[in-house]
Every structure is written in structure tokens, then in C-alpha cells.
Amino acid sequence: MRIRPLTVDGLTALAPTTVACLLGAEAATQGWPPLDAFAWTLVALTNLPLVLRGLAPLTVFAVVHLGWTLYVTLGYWPVVNSPAAMVALYTVAATRSNRVTAVCAALMGGVWIYAGVTSDSDAMASVVGQAIGYPLVIWRFGYAARRTAELTVRLRAEQAERARREVAEERVRIARELHDVVAHHMAVINVQAGLARFVFDSDARTAREALTTIADAGGEALAELRRMLGLLRADGTDGTDGTDGTGEHGAATEPTPGLDRLEEMVERVRAGGVPVDLRVHGEPRPLPPGVQLCVYRVVQEALTNVLKHAPGAAATVELAYRTGEMAVSVTDDGHPKERGRGVDPDRMPAPGGHGLIGMRERAKLYGGTIVVGPRREGGFGVHLTLPTSEQAARRGDSVTG
């Protein structure tokens, strides 16, 4: 649970304020004047500004030391407000440059020595040593905190940039595959147009069927083309990298995979040593090539993860044809040594992994949902739901991981 910075500063201010109150109550027993109402007011005005130390470190430092100096000048016990001065200097050291911190450290040391002179201390050598040593130690701790914060910010920026590049690369790769889908539709349209022209006068029925096929293929091609352009525009990438748009230098020779090649891919995984049970629920029906490609790639990535991270596990692939949507589930029963012992943390997907990014981007592209994570009964699961029509795809666009 993240706590608001102002709340943290408020809780931090309680520590020196509490110490000041305890020391102020003991001032008389230490031979110093007891604190009256005005002195307690000065204690409050010196310590309470620490609540705002994160918003204005230099201002708070100045207010704290001004209150401390006035408190010392009036002859009260200087130690009472010294914790607030230390916290104020630490805040400056943790948030400002070394040059600014050096000035503030010198100011704190000067007030410390002034307190020793005002109180006619018999141990001025010790007072001077404290005035030098305490600010230097606090400066060192503040500097370490500042460097740690800077490195953390830099690391997060690098992680965000790496994730952005991975998403961009994955989108371009998906766009290349969609290019193959569009090329397939164009080939169908070309063949059907030739057939319609050839039989236009002799076989009107065949010509009408060919034109219907052209219309359907054209609609699907336009939908895939919109998806491809949406991917490229989303990241400002045009996909021009010296290839022909299929991911290879030259013409693509391998057809775009679909559900008809799912059994072939499952057999390859079985040959790799993973028992895979492929189940189909509902009445199979033709699906848009892009949807088939999405299902194929998600199943492929999920089974690859089983091969890599859960050797010896058994996997189940379930396809469910539902009204207006397609549901896909890939689950495994876990590595043999994991069974009955919960989830292995090593099996959790990396936040920036290419496979997880690819599955999420594909689900988002087709307006579907995907859930990836450990199963309560053991093992791991990937659950994908895709709308099978353009209208249904427009209604949803959510991904869960």
C-alpha cells in the first residue's frame, strides 16, 4: 500500500516533536529554565513545519533554524530543538545539490556553536566537534538517499523505455503477419474476380457466388488493414526496415497459420515431451483469418511457456465456439515438483516479457480479453476470449494480466 508523501512527512515530524516535548519537560531537572507558554509555542513553531519538509525543504530548514536560534537566545535548553534541526538538514541533503547542502550544514553548525557560546558551556571543544561531526554525518546519509532516489528514477525510466520498445517491436511483428492476411484476401479476390469475368455470360450463379466471395474477402481485408494501420500509427512506426512487410527479406513462402494448423503445432509440442490434450467445444465454424492467427499465436506462446518453465507438466488446450465469440484456454498442471505445493514464483510471467506483451497486444487488437496467471489448483493458465465479428470487437477492448 502506497502512502502519500505528505502523510509520511507528517508521521516523520512526530518523532522530533515527541522528543522535543520529552526533553522540554525535563529541562528543569537538567538545570535549565522550565518551559513556559511562550517557550512551548516556540517548540511547536520549530518542529511542526517539518510536516511540509517535502514540499519546501529550504523554507522549512530556514524556519526551523530561525525558531531554534530564537529559542536558544532566550536562554532555554538548546538540545530540545536539535532533533528538528537534524531532520531539516537531512531533508535538504536528500533533495538538493551538494553546494546548497554545504551552506545549510554550515548554518546548522553555526547555530550549534552559538548555542554553546550562549549557554557558557564548559566543554566548547566537544560542542565544536558536534557542530562539525553531526552535519557531516547527516549530509552523508542525505546524499546516499538522494543518489538512491536518482538511480531509482533512472532505472524506472529505462524500464519504461525498454517496455515501450518491446511493445513497438511486437506491434510491428503483428502488423507484418496481418499484412500476410491482407495479401491472402487480395489473392482470393483476384482469383474470384477472374472466375466471375470468365463465367459472367455463361454461368450467372457461379458469377454471383464469386462476387459474394469478393465482397466478403474485401470487407475482411479492409478490417485487417485498419487494424494493421492502427498498430503502426499507435507507436509512430511505419514498419519499413528493409523487408517486404512479412518479416522476411523477399516474398513470404509460408502461409499465415490458422486453426487448421493448430493440431500440427500441438503435435510438435507433444514431440517435445509435453502431453497436450486438445479439446473443441461447440460447432466449429469459419472464422476471420486474423482471429485464427491471434488464437494460433496465443496457444503457441502458452505451450512454449509450458515447455520452457514446466517440464514434465501436462497441458490442456480448449477451444470453445460460442455465439459471437471464441474462447481459448491453455492450462497446465504444473511442474511435477510443484504439484500440491502452490505456485512456483519462477513461473510468474516477467512484466516486460515479449510473450506476455505479444498475447496482450493481440487480444487488444481484436477487442478481446486475456487473463494470464497461476491457477488456484496449481499450474498456470491462459484464458483468451475474442469476439468473432467486427461489431462485437468494437464493443470491448480490455486486457487483464
Side-chain angles (χ1 to χ4, degrees):
M1 182 177 62
R2 300 187 63 180
I3 304 177
R4 294 180 181 274
L6 191 59
T7 303
V8 174
D9 291 340
L11 295 174
T12 303
L14 282 178
T17 303
T18 302
V19 172
C21 291
L22 294 175
L23 291 175
E26 296 294 325
T29 62
Q30 299 297 322
W32 292 88
L35 273 64
D36 52 19
F38 183 69
W40 283 115
T41 302
L42 278 179
V43 170
L45 293 177
T46 302
N47 286 268
L48 294 182
L50 292 174
V51 174
L52 304 176
R53 67 190 184 95
L55 299 177
L58 292 176
T59 302
V60 170
F61 177 88
V63 170
V64 168
H65 281 73
L66 181 62
W68 188 26
T69 302
L70 180 58
Y71 183 87
V72 169
T73 302
L74 295 176
Y76 296 106
W77 191 17
V79 175
V80 171
N81 289 314
S82 59
M86 294 180 183
V87 173
L89 177 60
Y90 171 83
T91 305
V92 172
T95 57
R96 295 296 185 264
S97 65
N98 287 334
R99 180 177 301 179
V100 174
T101 304
V103 174
C104 293
L107 180 59
M108 175 181 165
V111 175
W112 202 287
I113 294 175
Y114 171 72
V117 172
T118 302
S119 60
D120 296 325
S121 174
D122 296 332
M124 278 304 297
S126 175
V127 171
V128 172
Q130 294 173 8
I132 296 174
Y134 285 160
L136 288 178
V137 171
I138 294 170
W139 184 355
R140 183 67 184 88
F141 277 104
Y143 173 78
R146 174 159 53 89
R147 287 293 299 162
T148 300
E150 291 173 352
L151 292 175
T152 300
V153 171
R154 187 183 307 171
L155 177 61
R156 288 176 178 172
E158 291 175 355
Q159 290 175 337
E161 176 62 21
R162 182 165 62 249
R164 189 199 65 80
R165 287 198 304 267
E166 290 175 354
V167 169
E169 292 169 0
E170 187 64 28
R171 285 176 174 177
V172 171
R173 187 172 75 87
I174 296 173
R176 290 169 181 160
E177 293 182 344
L178 295 184
H179 169 277
D180 294 344
V181 173
V182 174
H184 166 75
H185 286 308
M186 292 298 102
V188 171
I189 290 173
N190 185 55
V191 171
Q192 293 296 321
L195 174 62
R197 182 173 57 184
F198 182 75
V199 301
F200 189 80
D201 295 325
S202 60
D203 191 344
R205 179 180 178 182
T206 301
R208 282 194 298 271
E209 292 176 351
L211 292 175
T212 300
T213 302
I214 290 173
D216 294 341
E220 292 182 1
L222 287 175
E224 298 297 345
L225 187 59
R226 283 194 296 270
R227 291 191 178 101
M228 179 168 60
L229 293 177
L231 272 176
L232 299 179
R233 287 171 180 168
D235 211 63
T237 310
D238 61 5
T240 55
D241 60 351
T243 69
D244 64 349
T246 64
E248 301 291 341
H249 293 268
T253 57
E254 187 174 343
T256 303
L259 295 182
D260 57 331
R261 296 179 56 190
L262 195 58
E263 181 65 41
E264 176 186 340
M265 185 255 290
V266 167
E267 285 297 333
R268 288 198 301 269
V269 176
R270 287 170 179 159
V274 175
V276 182
D277 183 15
L278 179 60
R279 305 172 185 172
V280 179
H281 306 284
E283 185 65 28
R285 62 181 183 275
L287 298 175
V291 173
Q292 294 191 46
L293 175 62
C294 178
V295 171
Y296 181 92
R297 291 303 190 201
V298 169
V299 173
Q300 182 182 48
E301 182 62 36
L303 291 179
T304 300
N305 286 338
V306 176
L307 275 170
K308 290 165 55 178
H309 302 298
T316 301
V317 178
E318 296 184 80
L319 306 181
Y321 291 85
R322 301 171 182 167
T323 303
E325 67 178 20
M326 176 78 174
V328 183
S329 176
V330 183
T331 58
D332 66 77
D333 57 3
H335 191 282
K337 67 179 182 179
E338 300 172 21
R339 292 172 192 158
R341 298 194 298 105
V343 180
D344 185 353
D346 294 336
R347 302 226 25 227
M348 291 296 292
H354 285 279
L356 185 57
I357 289 176
M359 288 191 284
R360 284 177 168 169
E361 288 297 317
R362 290 181 187 278
K364 184 187 299 183
L365 180 64
Y366 287 94
T369 61
I370 187 167
V371 179
V372 182
R375 303 166 63 211
R376 181 175 302 175
E377 58 270 30
F380 212 74
V382 176
H383 304 279
L384 170 70
T385 303
L386 290 176
T388 54
S389 65
E390 187 70 15
Q391 293 76 15
R394 292 196 188 102
R395 288 197 300 265
D397 183 13
S398 61
V399 180
T400 305

